[in-house]
Amino acid sequence: RQDLLRLEDDRYHPKNWRPSILALSGRSGARIHLAVYAHWLAAGRGALTLAQIIPGEIGDHLERRSNQENALRSFIADQGLEAFPAVLVAPSREIGTEALVQCYGIGRMRPNVVLFGWSKDPARLEDFGALLRTASELRRSVLVIREGDTERDPWLPPRGPIDVWWRGKANGHLMVLLAHLLAQNDAWRGNEIRLLRVVSNQAGVEESTAHLERLITGARVEATAKVLVAENPIEAIHRASRDSAIVFLGFIPPEEGREAAFVKAQQGLMKGLPTVVSVWSAGEVSLEA
């Protein structure tokens, strides 16, 4: 209790940032890949909560809520995850997610990252886009994982580099840090981090490469800088990262009324790529702090 109260008085500094992840993983075992990636991204340096929303009225689901929480707790233990369970009954998944993002936690020990799996239900995609916007408006960083090969062992990372596509500081600092945290897991230590950028002409390659290398040095992470020349950035991303293990890409949550266009653009960007982590940063991370 005293430690939690002391946190209220501590002045936040970007160097002290650690991921406290609220992962909307659903019922136990339903999205095991999502739960494992959340565990890897926390990397033993942050906190992780696996959450499930039960749509309906609470009076109709009290027993089910208790059973699902116990099942989620057993799933966490069986998989060897370092995580807490959270099960909430709400009129809809969207309302339940908004409630968890707003209220889950104690004092400053609240999630600073909300992790979603990319929705596979076409009927829910516009609501999904609105959820991403709401989470960002509540000043939580947002991660969306679109899994590649879900047939493989979820605890066995694919081979290939960890690619971070740099398009500026807005999301880039958080993406680099997340890639670094992922690579700290024993299972990922053989995967090289690549910090990549696309420029429109050869004249910008030297300066952009030097900038990425300074960023890597300042952040004290092990990574390789690579700058590509291309007129079409999306084609360049697909060409360079199609055989990678995982790809980090920044995004901007959709404006109201633009959810459908956002979803279509994201699907086009991710098509043909391996596992993709789309990242929006609330701005709490600075590699230069």
Side-chain angles (χ1 to χ4, degrees):
R1 181 177 64 86
Q2 290 298 325
D3 287 341
L4 286 169
L5 289 171
R6 273 195 292 271
L7 276 177
E8 295 299 297
D9 297 326
D10 283 351
R11 182 172 296 179
Y12 170 77
H13 192 281
K15 281 189 175 180
N16 298 329
W17 190 91
R18 296 291 182 272
S20 179
I21 301 173
L22 175 64
L24 279 299
S25 56
R27 61 183 174 82
S28 60
R31 288 177 136 178
I32 185 170
H33 286 78
L34 186 67
V36 171
Y37 270 106
H39 172 86
W40 278 332
L41 290 170
R45 290 167 169 77
L48 170 61
T49 298
L50 301 184
Q52 176 186 354
I53 311 296
I54 300 175
E57 297 298 323
I58 189 167
D60 299 329
H61 295 287
L62 286 173
E63 184 176 355
R64 182 185 175 193
R65 195 208 70 81
S66 179
N67 291 338
Q68 289 297 317
E69 184 174 289
N70 289 334
L72 190 54
R73 186 172 282 108
S74 296
F75 167 76
I76 288 169
D78 292 343
Q79 292 295 321
L81 301 169
E82 296 178 348
F84 303 100
V87 180
L88 181 72
V89 179
S92 69
R93 288 184 177 87
E94 290 72 27
I95 292 174
T97 301
E98 291 174 4
L100 274 175
V101 173
Q102 289 183 81
C103 300
Y104 183 77
I106 301 175
R108 287 200 176 183
M109 283 296 294
R110 291 187 175 184
N112 52 24
V113 175
V114 185
L115 187 150
F116 298 90
W118 186 261
S119 178
K120 298 178 181 179
D121 182 355
R124 293 188 57 229
L125 283 175
E126 288 193 34
D127 289 336
F128 180 68
L131 266 183
L132 302 184
R133 182 176 63 251
T134 299
S136 68
E137 289 172 345
L138 290 168
R139 304 308 301 168
R140 304 297 195 272
S141 293
V142 180
L143 310 183
V144 187
I145 294 183
R146 198 293 313 265
E147 296 153 351
D149 179 13
T150 56
E151 297 299 318
R152 63 175 177 79
D153 180 348
W155 285 100
L156 184 62
R159 294 183 177 181
I162 300 168
D163 285 352
V164 179
W165 285 93
W166 182 268
R167 289 186 285 179
K169 295 181 179 180
N171 298 315
H173 286 200
L174 178 57
M175 291 196 297
V176 171
L177 180 56
L178 291 172
H180 171 69
L181 290 172
L182 183 65
Q184 297 308 296
N185 292 273
D186 289 340
W188 284 86
R189 289 190 185 277
N191 297 69
E192 173 196 24
I193 298 175
R194 299 194 303 179
L195 187 56
L196 303 108
R197 185 172 184 177
V198 180
V199 295
S200 58
N201 56 66
Q202 189 67 34
V205 171
E206 184 176 350
E207 181 181 350
S208 295
T209 302
H211 173 258
L212 295 183
E213 289 176 344
R214 286 195 302 271
L215 181 71
I216 290 168
T217 301
R220 299 186 299 279
V221 300
E222 293 185 11
T224 301
K226 185 174 184 179
V227 177
L228 307 177
V229 178
E231 293 183 2
N232 189 319
I234 294 179
E235 288 182 2
I237 290 170
H238 281 235
R239 188 168 56 252
S241 291
R242 62 190 175 192
D243 296 322
S244 298
I246 190 168
V247 182
F248 288 85
L249 295 169
F251 78 97
I252 299 174
E255 298 177 0
E256 189 170 358
R258 298 287 299 167
E259 292 86 358
F262 166 80
V263 167
K264 184 177 180 180
Q266 288 295 111
Q267 288 176 324
L269 178 59
M270 295 185 296
K271 186 177 181 181
L273 290 174
T275 296
V276 173
V277 183
S278 300
V279 179
W280 181 83
S281 174
E284 294 182 317
V285 178
S286 175
L287 299 176
E288 300 166 346

